[in-house]
Amino acid sequence: MTYKIKENFIFYLSIKQKNLKENGIDQGIYDTILPETPDTNCLELASYIQENHFDGLLAVGGGSVIDTTKEAGMILALPQPIEDLHDYSGTGTKMKNEYQRKIKFRC
């Protein structure tokens, strides 16, 4: 059953890719995100996005997929190249106040 769902989803994506291509919109699928994503996976996705000159990101999946996509976007938004993501954690040596988002959550 799981295989059939995945097969149908891949077929659906291929139709959408065809529609986008026919309308002159370049796109790609990065499907090698690992569970409990290692830093190297985030860096690889950032490179893939940069090499293909994508303007936007869409994460389709669970936590690891969404987190990896957010990390790749962050990597590309910083002004200098990143070699170690730990430098940019909350207590990292290269983390600056201007990189932190001031978000208020409301319920």
Side-chain angles (χ1 to χ4, degrees), residues 63-76:
S64 293
V65 172
I66 294 167
D67 290 344
T68 304
T69 305
K70 289 189 297 186
E71 290 291 330
M74 181 204 75
I75 290 166
L76 294 172

Side-chain angles (χ1 to χ4, degrees), residues 26-30 45-55:
D26 292 332
Q27 42 66 44
I29 294 177
Y30 183 84
L45 177 56
S47 292
Y48 176 77
I49 294 164
Q50 194 168 37
E51 289 167 7
N52 288 284
H53 308 286
F54 293 136
D55 295 325

